[in-house]
Amino acid sequence: MKMGVLLSLVSACCVLLAGCFSAGVSAQKKADALKRTYLPVAVATVPVVERPLLPAIKLRAFTALSPYDSLQFVVRRANGETALDYYRGWVAAPQDLIRSQTGRYLEQTGLFEAMYDASSGTQPAWGLEGTVVECFLDYQGAEPAVQMTLRLLVLDEESVAFNVVFATQATARVPLQSQGEDSAVQAFNVALSQVLAECAAKFKTATFKK
């Protein structure tokens, strides 16, 4: 009799554990289904000059300061806490996405004779390097917003120390326009466009010809 009761208890526990495990897997699947990934896209621009003012340049690798190199959106909460958004993030490393948008945008401005990717076999005298200094959702103030800061450096590729011959940095803060699912990425798009427009304006006055 005792053995039968014991076996019944063991069987009941197994069923209970199986049910809990199944419920956990189901909840995880539901949570994963709610995840969204985005690609930041800068608003296309038109040529800002009639002819190139600057020589050809190679687009080097970009970096992002921690924690802004995360695939998940970085969120600053009202209580001063900084956290990663479980449900929203970037489709690839943010520094790589911003790098491709920077190259595309600057190429559209017509400021440079040519814009080469780092994988190109060409060897221009200048290289463009970028750092994502800030990229986050900010809920600390009265109005939720995104903030982005980008630093661009022009390097002398022919110098041993890769000397910096020009540097610029721009920051943009853009309020969220709605509570919609894509409101954050839309604000990021505007912020990126503003940052790149400011950097392009500064490049118009730059001089680093050999």
Coordinates of all heavy atoms in Angstrom, one line a residue, residues 51-56 111-113 125-126 154 156 158 165-166 206-210:
R51 N 30.1 70.7 -56.9 CA 31.2 69.7 -57.2 C 31.9 69.4 -55.9 O 31.8 70.1 -54.9 CB 32.1 70.3 -58.2 CG 32.8 71.6 -57.7 CD 33.6 72.2 -58.8 NE 34.3 73.5 -58.3 CZ 34.9 74.3 -59.1 NH1 34.9 74.1 -60.4 NH2 35.5 75.4 -58.6
P52 N 32.5 68.2 -55.8 CA 33.2 67.8 -54.6 C 34.2 68.8 -54.0 O 35.0 69.4 -54.8 CB 33.8 66.5 -55.0 CG 33.1 66.0 -56.1 CD 32.7 67.2 -56.9
L53 N 34.1 69.0 -52.7 CA 35.0 69.9 -52.0 C 36.2 69.2 -51.4 O 37.3 69.7 -51.1 CB 34.3 70.7 -50.9 CG 33.2 71.6 -51.4 CD1 32.5 72.3 -50.1 CD2 33.7 72.7 -52.3
L54 N 36.0 67.9 -51.2 CA 36.9 67.0 -50.4 C 37.4 65.8 -51.3 O 36.6 65.4 -52.1 CB 36.3 66.6 -49.1 CG 35.8 67.7 -48.2 CD1 35.0 67.2 -47.1 CD2 37.0 68.5 -47.7
P55 N 38.6 65.3 -51.0 CA 39.1 64.2 -51.8 C 38.4 62.9 -51.4 O 37.6 62.8 -50.5 CB 40.6 64.1 -51.3 CG 40.6 64.7 -50.0 CD 39.6 65.8 -50.0
A56 N 38.7 61.8 -52.1 CA 38.1 60.5 -51.9 C 38.5 60.1 -50.5 O 39.6 60.4 -50.0 CB 38.6 59.5 -52.9
L111 N 29.9 65.8 -51.2 CA 31.1 66.6 -50.6 C 32.4 65.9 -51.0 O 33.4 66.6 -51.1 CB 30.9 66.6 -49.1 CG 29.9 67.6 -48.5 CD1 29.6 67.3 -47.1 CD2 30.4 69.0 -48.7
F112 N 32.4 64.6 -51.1 CA 33.6 63.9 -51.4 C 33.7 63.4 -52.8 O 32.7 63.1 -53.4 CB 33.7 62.7 -50.4 CG 33.8 63.0 -49.0 CD1 32.6 63.1 -48.2 CD2 35.0 63.2 -48.4 CE1 32.7 63.4 -46.9 CE2 35.1 63.5 -47.0 CZ 33.9 63.6 -46.3
E113 N 34.9 63.4 -53.3 CA 35.1 62.9 -54.7 C 34.6 61.4 -54.8 O 34.1 61.0 -55.9 CB 36.6 63.0 -55.1 CG 37.1 64.4 -55.2 CD 38.6 64.5 -55.6 OE1 39.2 63.4 -55.7 OE2 39.1 65.6 -55.8
A125 N 44.0 58.5 -49.6 CA 44.9 59.0 -48.5 C 44.2 59.3 -47.2 O 44.8 59.5 -46.2 CB 45.5 60.3 -49.1
W126 N 42.8 59.2 -47.2 CA 42.1 59.6 -46.0 C 41.1 58.5 -45.6 O 40.6 57.8 -46.5 CB 41.3 60.9 -46.3 CG 42.2 62.0 -46.9 CD1 42.2 62.4 -48.2 CD2 43.2 62.7 -46.2 NE1 43.1 63.4 -48.4 CE2 43.7 63.6 -47.2 CE3 43.7 62.8 -44.9 CZ2 44.8 64.5 -46.9 CZ3 44.7 63.6 -44.6 CH2 45.2 64.5 -45.6
V154 N 38.5 62.2 -39.3 CA 39.2 61.9 -40.6 C 40.7 61.6 -40.3 O 41.3 62.4 -39.6 CB 39.1 63.1 -41.6 CG1 39.9 62.9 -42.8 CG2 37.6 63.4 -41.9
D156 N 44.6 60.5 -41.5 CA 45.6 60.4 -42.5 C 46.1 59.0 -42.7 O 46.9 58.5 -41.9 CB 46.8 61.4 -42.2 CG 47.8 61.5 -43.3 OD1 47.8 60.6 -44.3 OD2 48.7 62.3 -43.2
E158 N 48.1 57.7 -44.7 CA 49.5 57.6 -45.1 C 50.5 57.9 -44.0 O 51.7 57.8 -44.2 CB 49.8 58.5 -46.3 CG 49.0 58.1 -47.6 CD 49.2 59.0 -48.8 OE1 49.7 60.1 -48.5 OE2 48.8 58.6 -49.9
V165 N 43.1 64.5 -38.8 CA 43.3 65.8 -39.4 C 42.0 66.6 -39.4 O 42.0 67.8 -39.7 CB 43.7 65.6 -40.9 CG1 45.1 64.9 -41.0 CG2 42.7 64.8 -41.7
F166 N 40.9 65.9 -39.0 CA 39.6 66.7 -38.8 C 38.7 65.9 -37.9 O 38.7 64.6 -38.0 CB 38.9 66.9 -40.2 CG 37.6 67.6 -40.1 CD1 37.6 69.0 -40.0 CD2 36.4 66.9 -40.1 CE1 36.4 69.6 -39.9 CE2 35.2 67.6 -40.1 CZ 35.2 68.9 -39.9
A206 N 35.8 72.0 -44.0 CA 37.0 71.2 -43.7 C 38.0 71.3 -44.8 O 37.6 71.4 -46.0 CB 36.6 69.8 -43.4
T207 N 39.3 71.2 -44.5 CA 40.3 71.2 -45.5 C 41.4 70.2 -45.0 O 42.0 70.3 -43.9 CB 41.0 72.6 -45.6 OG1 41.5 73.0 -44.3 CG2 40.1 73.6 -46.3
F208 N 41.6 69.1 -45.8 CA 42.6 68.2 -45.5 C 43.2 67.5 -46.7 O 43.4 66.3 -46.8 CB 42.1 67.1 -44.5 CG 40.7 66.5 -44.9 CD1 40.6 65.5 -45.8 CD2 39.6 67.0 -44.3 CE1 39.4 65.0 -46.1 CE2 38.4 66.5 -44.6 CZ 38.3 65.5 -45.5
K209 N 43.4 68.4 -47.7 CA 44.1 67.9 -49.0 C 45.6 67.8 -48.8 O 46.2 68.6 -48.0 CB 43.7 68.8 -50.1 CG 42.2 68.7 -50.5 CD 41.9 69.6 -51.7 CE 40.4 69.5 -52.1 NZ 40.1 70.3 -53.3
K210 N 46.2 66.9 -49.5 CA 47.6 66.7 -49.5 C 48.3 67.9 -50.2 O 47.8 68.4 -51.2 CB 48.0 65.4 -50.2 CG 47.6 64.2 -49.4 CD 48.4 64.0 -48.1 CE 48.1 62.7 -47.4 NZ 48.9 62.5 -46.2

